[in-house]
Amino acid sequence: MKKMYMISIMVLLSFTTIAQIDATLLKRVTQDTVAMKLNMDAVYNRPFLTMAKIPVALGGYVEANWQHLGTDGISEGHQFQMRRLTLFVASSIYKRIKFLSEIEFEDGTKEINIEFASVDIEFHPLFNLRGGIVMNPIGSFNQNHDGPKWEFIDRPISATQMLPATWSNVGFGVFGKLYRKEWVYAYEMYLTNGFDDQIVSNEENKTFLPASKKNPDRFEESFNGVPLVTAKVALGKRQVGEVGVSYMGGVYNKFQDDGLVIDKKRRVHVFALDFSTTLPFLSTWLNAEAAWVKVDVPNTYSQHYGRNQMGAFVDLVQPVFKGTVFGFERSVLNVALRTEYVDWNKSRFEETGTHIREDVLAVVPGLSWRPTAQTVIRLNYRYQWQTDLFGNPASKTAGFQIGFSSYF
Amino acid sequence: MKRHAFLFSFGMVFIVFQACEHFEPVAPAENALLDGPVEGLSPAENIRFLKGDVAFNDDVFTASNGLGPLFVATTCGTCHPGDGKGHPFTTLTRFGQYDGTGNQYAHLGGPQLQHRALPGFAPEVLPDNVGFSKLTPPANTGLGFLDAVRDADIMAWADPNDNDGDGISGVPNWIVMKEYITARDGTIEHEGKYIGRFGKKAAAYDLHQQTAQAYNEDIGITSTYEPMDTHSGLLIDPEITDQTIHDVVFYLKTLKAPIPRAAHRDEIISGKAVFEQIGCAKCHRSEMKTGDSPIAAIANKTFHPYTDLLLHDMGADLDDGYTEGSATTSEWRTPALWGLGLSKFSQGGDYFLLHDGRAKSIDEAILWHGGEAANARAQYKSLTSTEKNKLIQFLESL
């Protein structure tokens, strides 16, 4: 009931705001997308183009690649992939009232999603209201996922397969930042629609939070009427980095229908810790995210669907050359390494007492060349070990990927 | 600088395109894997094999496509990882039948316990004081060869009255054939019953019956062949197509037979000699021949499964008090030993042997043998450790 009061108050407050034009979006702005900002700023930390005096800014990015991967001696051969085309539309509705949207076409037109479409109203730097389709601030990748910002063609497994990035829902919330000298303190909290029971009933045959994204009704109605709570606090210091702690939780199942009780309320809890920094002297960029998922799975259901999951990735990016290449005066060549791991099921078999495995480990060394900050050309080599539920010998997948990603 | 950059970039791309396959994991040796098709399938048969492979290993059942509501597993492949033996996680429990008069507990969920359930449903529990057997899912490999053995050959190996006096009296399991089954050419009928050959008690006539029943009793999926919902007991619409059943049956029929490893090594040859010398081969027949088959790749082929497809009394220690067909509660169909050495690579690195997975090693499995195998067990016990080691090496090479 308290949550409902909060939502009502937020909605009423939004009607009292007086609109003016925010002049900043009337300029042609090209932002340095590799400069460090807090992850929560990522939705605005993008290059936009404006047209004449129209208070609307446009932008987007595109990602495409070639890959040749093989698993245990069997390869699908040469694959050319159009991973995604994303369009941004931002508008300054009035002073301190902004609108921003992000529409993504994945794998051609296989998936078309509104990833972000919200109105932000600033009452005070420490108190902003955001409503619409928002990206739940769990971890860092979900907020800061634009392809051109990353040196790797594949998105992190723990962020996209265990956590459901990109994960957006309809809802409302508040956020704010406080600057004190070189420190930045930030918070976000949202109430949104949430998960459904597909997270423990899906074609992946494991607890799989992204399965809820298949629900076509989730932008129209909540699966069970209970809001998903997502909250994050972050702390940043110039020249040091950022650390964020986030939580997302709610009821995922339909516990009553048409007034009849059909199950007890079953909850999902997600905790995430993210950290990024640039090491002094070497300018090595380190970015890491770890997350833990806890799901109330019925005891009499299949142990396939894990009650506890854990995953993490660590990216290291080392610039090795800065200068003019092919006439691009400020190009940067990086070597990079990603290590990622997900344990899909951290329980033990009831029958044997042994650990349930179902995990994946991958190492991805790579090279990236940025002719400008907004464009990256990437060469990755992925080696991945995937172990089944029982811990039988891992299947090995490896191969090269070459691709680009660029804002436009 | 521009030239160097161009050469570097071009060189990298050229190397990656030309040499990419050399940086990918190599395939495991063919004899290290249980899955894969039998040699000699036609392109059309390969297509059918692949369809069955997808249905068997990739189709995941959930509440939205028919799972349960009571079940044991959510896919076929869960019980048979890599087409090998199953893990205790998917051990089946069957209960409520003591003799050939049928299951006395059908009204309480017999013959198979579905001990898992969709949220909101209560799984079955074993009735008090009922006889039951726990059954580890078997490997699937080479089943098409076993399916194509002639009934007449099986009957020729039977010795119900132990006429040769060796203490071994294999008998077929005479079962009632399901109405949807088409009998093989040359099938033998005995008082309205037929020879079963699949399952731990040989209670399934062929792979069609085995597949349709497994979908129904293991996953809770109804078909036109097995239309009864295991939860409600009602006849309901099919939750899987006939075509999918046929594809899976074809897949099972055309899985290759396990390929022995290091069969030429002296220890293996010696171990095989010990195997025959102490009488193991009297039930675990090393060689069989298939009859005619519409699948040319398995027709009229000699193969080496190490079973006789017959029931044998295995003694009191392996008598669980449950049976099917005409088998007694202490009788078990001789399990095929081919692929035995690869079992632990589908069972999570450990052995779970015998019908219920109680034996954690081959040695332990042999020592559980009794009844008709008591003499062979006694001879095994009298072997030197070197001889035992060679025997076990031979069994692991299969």
Side-chain angles (χ1 to χ4, degrees), chain A residues 68 73 205 300 304 379 381 390 392, chain B residues 23-25 74 78 117 345-346 348:
Chain A
H68 195 291
N205 213 16
T300 54
H304 268 119
L379 165 64
Y381 176 71
F390 309 113
N392 291 315
Chain B
F23 292 88
E24 294 172 10
T74 53
T78 303
F345 301 124
S346 65

Side-chain angles (χ1 to χ4, degrees), chain B residues 45-87:
Chain B
E45 288 172 331
N46 278 330
I47 291 168
R48 286 193 68 188
F49 177 87
L50 290 170
K51 285 178 69 178
D53 190 358
V54 169
F56 192 88
N57 291 301
D58 299 343
D59 281 356
V60 175
F61 290 94
T62 65
S64 63
N65 62 358
L67 176 67
L70 308 182
F71 62 95
V72 176
T74 53
T75 72
C76 302
T78 303
C79 291
H80 311 274
D83 291 305
K85 284 183 194 294
H87 184 273

Side-chain angles (χ1 to χ4, degrees), chain A residues 301-303 348-354 356 390, chain B residues 72 87-91 115-116 134 352 360:
Chain A
Y301 195 46
S302 177
Q303 294 174 74
R348 287 176 178 271
F349 281 114
E350 292 165 8
E351 294 79 7
T352 60
T354 53
I356 298 176
F390 309 113
Chain B
V72 176
H87 184 273
F89 166 61
T90 52
T91 291
H115 66 295
R116 298 189 171 108
K134 288 189 172 292
F352 297 95
K360 304 299 186 294

Side-chain angles (χ1 to χ4, degrees), chain A residues 66 68-75 78 80 200-205 262-263 266 298 300-305 321 324-327 333 349-352 354 367 379 381-383 388-393 396-402, chain B residues 1-2 5-6 8-9 12-13 16-17 19-21 23-28 58 60-64 67 71-75 77-78 81 87-90 115-123 343-350 352:
Chain A
W66 161 90
H68 195 291
L69 297 174
T71 299
D72 293 335
I74 298 172
S75 172
H78 299 275
F80 296 89
V200 294
S201 179
N202 56 65
E203 292 174 358
E204 297 287 328
N205 213 16
I262 54 177
D263 198 1
R266 300 189 183 279
T300 54
Y301 195 46
S302 177
Q303 294 174 74
H304 268 119
Y305 293 95
F321 174 81
T324 303
V325 178
F326 296 131
L333 180 69
F349 281 114
E350 292 165 8
E351 294 79 7
T352 60
T354 53
L367 284 174
L379 165 64
Y381 176 71
R382 165 172 288 272
Y383 206 104
D388 70 4
L389 205 65
F390 309 113
N392 291 315
K396 301 182 197 69
T397 299
F400 282 103
Q401 300 169 303
I402 300 175
Chain B
M1 183 62 207
K2 189 179 279 189
F6 174 78
F8 176 77
S9 307
M12 288 296 293
V13 171
V16 166
F17 265 79
C20 51
E21 288 185 18
F23 292 88
E24 294 172 10
V26 296
D58 299 343
V60 175
F61 290 94
T62 65
S64 63
L67 176 67
F71 62 95
V72 176
T74 53
T75 72
T78 303
H87 184 273
F89 166 61
T90 52
H115 66 295
R116 298 189 171 108
L118 294 177
F121 291 83
S343 297
K344 58 186 173 187
F345 301 124
S346 65
Q347 296 186 307
D350 296 312
F352 297 95

Side-chain angles (χ1 to χ4, degrees), chain A residues 72-231:
Chain A
D72 293 335
I74 298 172
S75 172
E76 294 293 322
H78 299 275
Q79 304 289 328
F80 296 89
Q81 301 174 312
M82 180 69 185
R83 296 261 177 141
R84 51 189 66 82
L85 168 68
T86 301
L87 303 173
F88 314 136
V89 178
S91 171
S92 179
I93 299 167
Y94 200 73
K95 188 172 71 174
R96 292 184 287 130
I97 302 177
K98 297 175 185 174
F99 168 78
L100 191 142
S101 66
E102 178 180 345
I103 298 171
E104 186 163 279
F105 300 79
E106 285 196 316
D107 301 322
T109 53
K110 190 173 167 186
E111 280 189 43
I112 302 172
N113 298 308
I114 299 174
E115 299 218 317
F116 193 86
S118 76
V119 173
D120 288 358
I121 304 168
E122 180 185 335
F123 298 99
H124 180 275
L126 259 178
F127 187 76
N128 299 263
L129 174 68
R130 174 173 287 169
I133 295 176
V134 302
M135 280 185 287
N136 301 67
I138 185 73
S140 60
F141 186 86
N142 198 45
Q143 295 178 299
N144 197 1
H145 58 260
D146 290 359
K149 293 181 178 176
W150 297 81
E151 315 306 313
F152 301 93
I153 290 168
D154 285 336
R155 291 178 164 184
I157 299 171
S158 63
T160 57
Q161 302 287 299
M162 190 186 77
L163 300 185
T166 46
W167 174 238
S168 309
N169 284 291
V170 185
F172 293 86
V174 292
F175 64 93
K177 283 196 292 189
L178 176 67
Y179 290 89
R180 284 287 179 270
K181 296 182 179 176
E182 293 189 327
W183 292 87
V184 187
Y185 306 88
Y187 77 94
E188 293 177 84
M189 196 186 87
Y190 302 95
L191 299 177
T192 64
N193 286 345
F195 293 101
D196 61 30
D197 56 11
Q198 290 183 88
I199 69 172
V200 294
S201 179
N202 56 65
E203 292 174 358
E204 297 287 328
N205 213 16
K206 60 187 175 222
T207 297
F208 191 68
L209 301 191
S212 285
K213 294 199 288 187
K214 287 191 173 179
N215 179 357
D217 299 325
R218 70 193 180 92
F219 292 121
E220 179 198 357
E221 62 177 344
S222 168
F223 186 65
N224 52 29
V226 180
L228 180 73
V229 178
T230 312

